[in-house]
Amino acid sequence: MNNKKYHIETLAIHAGQSPDPVTLSRAVPIYRTTAYNFKSSEHAANLFSLKESGNIYSRLMNPTNDVLEQRLAALENGAAALTFSSGTAAIYFALTNICKCGDEIVSANNLYGGTFTQFDAILPQNGINVRFTPVNDFSAVEAAINEHTKAIFIETVGNPTLEIADIEGYAKIAQKHKLPLVVDSTFTPPSLLRPIEHGANIVIHSLSKWICGHGTGIGGIVIDAANFDWSDPKFTLYNEPDRGYHGLRFAHDLGELNKLAFILRLRTVGLRNQGPTLSPDAAWIFLQGLESLTLRMTKHSENALQVAKFLVEHPKVAWVKYPGLADSPLSKKYLPLGAGGMVVFGVKGGSKEAVKLVDNIKLFSLLANVGDAKSLIIHPASTTHSQLSDEDQRKAGLQPELIRLSIGIEHIDDIIGALADALSLV
Ligand SMILES: *Cc1c(COP(=O)(O)O)cnc(C)c1O
């Protein structure tokens, strides 16, 4: 199928799949197999030496996962993609596919809690240091870049404070310093925003959120735009012979596939030798979710905007943040089709009142997730971001009275009714 001709609604349903040639199954089959038969020893040898492409073992590739990878690559305007067992693994393996001991990353500081901890506490154990800068503070980004820097990392809409990153501003700096811009776009699925069209090189999603759409699976994906030159010698992982792959230099020895060096290395080193593989059963759940993604994102965005407008007017609410609320230039530029399902607000009074509201609200589920069809609520300061010190919480813009809502696709009157009732109790 020629993806270029089709709109995003169509690609979300069809891209990457041709009906199964043996069974003619219309839905994507779940290929529950560990390994694949080789036609002969020669065929096996060709697959192992990358002379021919094909399936070897499901830690490295699986036809169900392959449809999901092709579909999301098409939706994001990328060249290729690779699935992972979680969004967290996708971020970790994407970055360790660029950086090794002694390298540095410059990251925005308004990150998903688990990502912040990975950058602040885990990557440094591997000798990879992350320099945090306030989102959209480009002079701070410039000041943080040095000869060790190998990547810039941002989230499209930061968690939990929901600032919109100026992707093009970051892309300009990344290009100037010949660094890849890696973007976590989980909060803005491709029907709302496609970071590659704004200059990103690598896009990451937690599939567990809106792409799944129903709170029923954990997974992640890395999408490669194939628009970055890895043959720059400072990226030693691409320019020096790889001991794990009989001396291959990923940026030089792949022939026509040199431009896919990043994603090929991610598969052959990340998945093959470290093993954070997505199961085909989970991949199938995400494919099912993708079919209704565009419809759901429109509804999530409409409902969330209504909720934000209701909260702004409410006397017990101190402040509200929703990326589509103020007609800001960044929201006009990056999110004209809807600003997603997340709303955060502060209750007057502080942490005690926030906890009381969260404990008393009906309809909303109190849990640590976002991007479900169901409306969800949490108090981040005491849960998702409690690993951060008070100072890091403050730096990340996380006030003690902040309540995070992930607005579902229930009827808007029921969602607002539940919030109104809960606010009347605090
Ligand atoms: C959930 C989330 C992650 C982590 O993904 P998992 O699939 O839970 O590992 C990373 N970034 C953002 C923005 C998220 O919302």
Side-chain angles (χ1 to χ4, degrees):
M1 149 175 185
N2 179 1
N3 291 339
K4 292 278 176 262
K5 287 201 311 251
Y6 291 110
H7 294 89
I8 196 143
E9 290 83 350
T10 312
L11 292 174
I13 295 169
H14 292 282
Q17 188 205 4
S18 21
D20 182 69
V22 178
T23 62
L24 302 181
S25 162
R26 186 61 194 88
V28 177
I30 302 175
Y31 288 94
R32 270 193 192 127
T33 187
T34 308
Y36 307 84
N37 279 316
F38 303 126
K39 295 174 201 158
S40 64
S41 298
E42 190 195 355
H43 178 223
N46 284 345
L47 294 179
F48 273 89
S49 64
L50 302 181
K51 276 194 196 130
E52 218 180 299
S53 66
N55 295 319
I56 297 175
Y57 187 69
S58 276
R59 176 165 18 86
L60 333 181
M61 69 268 279
N62 177 284
T64 310
N65 298 25
D66 181 58
V67 177
L68 179 60
E69 287 159 1
Q70 290 195 44
R71 190 162 294 177
L72 269 160
L75 287 170
E76 286 286 5
N77 253 329
L82 192 60
T83 48
F84 285 88
S85 54
S86 69
T88 302
I91 294 167
Y92 182 83
F93 286 96
L95 293 173
T96 53
N97 201 41
I98 301 171
C99 301
K100 63 176 194 184
C101 185
D103 289 341
E104 293 188 1
I105 296 163
V106 174
S107 173
N109 68 353
N110 59 334
L111 300 176
Y112 179 74
T115 307
F116 185 87
T117 306
Q118 182 184 112
F119 288 7
D120 190 48
I122 313 301
L123 287 178
Q125 291 172 2
N126 299 357
I128 299 167
N129 275 317
V130 182
R131 291 177 187 263
F132 294 101
T133 54
V135 66
N136 297 336
D137 182 343
F138 296 126
S139 50
V141 174
E142 288 274 8
I145 292 172
N146 60 39
E147 77 270 24
H148 303 295
T149 311
K150 295 288 154 62
I152 299 177
F153 184 93
I154 56 171
E155 293 181 3
T156 51
V157 171
N159 188 354
T161 52
L162 307 184
E163 286 101 325
I164 301 169
D166 184 356
I167 305 169
E168 291 179 13
Y170 279 99
K172 226 171 163 178
I173 297 180
Q175 279 154 20
K176 177 175 152 203
H177 294 275
K178 298 192 164 46
L179 295 168
L181 177 61
V182 182
V183 179
D184 179 340
S185 195
T186 301
F187 276 33
T188 51
S191 64
L192 299 182
L193 173 62
R194 290 176 295 282
I196 289 170
E197 293 172 4
H198 298 285
N201 304 106
I202 310 290
V203 174
I204 299 175
H205 284 280
S206 165
L207 297 168
S208 326
K209 313 296 169 53
W210 289 271
I211 288 173
C212 176
H214 304 81
T216 49
I218 298 281
I221 195 161
V222 177
I223 298 136
D224 181 6
N227 59 357
F228 188 79
D229 179 13
W230 297 102
S231 68
D232 178 344
K234 76 180 170 200
F235 297 99
T236 51
L237 298 178
Y238 291 83
N239 292 280
E240 288 174 8
D242 195 308
R243 249 163 59 85
Y245 228 98
H246 38 73
L248 188 83
R249 294 169 311 150
F250 279 91
H252 303 279
D253 299 336
L254 291 165
E256 274 176 22
L257 296 176
N258 278 344
K259 71 182 197 352
L260 293 177
F262 177 84
I263 210 83
L264 287 171
R265 190 183 186 283
L266 195 57
R267 192 186 288 281
T268 50
V269 178
L271 275 195
R272 189 178 70 120
N273 297 123
Q274 295 171 89
T277 306
L278 183 72
S279 91
D281 297 72
W284 187 91
I285 290 171
F286 303 134
L287 284 164
Q288 187 83 340
L290 273 180
E291 294 199 357
S292 60
L293 179 73
T294 51
L295 287 175
R296 287 186 290 102
M297 288 324 296
T298 304
K299 190 68 179 170
H300 280 295
S301 301
E302 280 170 13
N303 278 356
L305 180 60
Q306 292 300 315
V307 165
K309 285 180 174 165
F310 162 78
L311 291 172
V312 164
E313 298 296 326
H314 200 285
K316 287 187 180 167
V317 171
W319 53 266
V320 182
K321 281 192 194 151
Y322 178 64
L325 193 57
D327 239 356
S328 76
L330 288 179
S331 122
K332 276 204 188 113
K333 177 166 192 177
Y334 294 109
L335 294 168
L337 300 176
M342 299 298 295
V343 179
V344 297
F345 70 102
V347 203
K348 281 187 185 159
S351 181
K352 222 175 104 222
E353 277 69 18
V355 169
K356 194 166 172 199
L357 184 145
V358 164
D359 280 339
N360 284 291
I361 196 162
K362 302 280 191 295
L363 187 67
F364 282 69
S365 308
L366 168 55
L367 50 78
N369 190 19
V370 297
D372 197 320
K374 304 161 198 75
S375 288
L376 315 174
I377 191 166
I378 201 160
H379 178 233
S382 62
T383 55
T384 54
H385 285 64
S386 58
Q387 270 93 353
L388 272 66
S389 66
D390 287 352
E391 198 202 335
D392 283 337
Q393 286 198 2
R394 195 179 43 72
K395 275 200 224 149
L398 179 59
Q399 299 94 321
E401 74 276 14
L402 183 149
I403 292 175
R404 187 182 81 183
L405 306 175
S406 174
I407 299 300
I409 56 176
E410 300 98 337
H411 195 286
I412 186 62
D413 294 349
D414 297 333
I415 298 171
I416 287 179
L419 281 163
D421 289 348
L423 278 163
S424 72
L425 299 173
V426 303

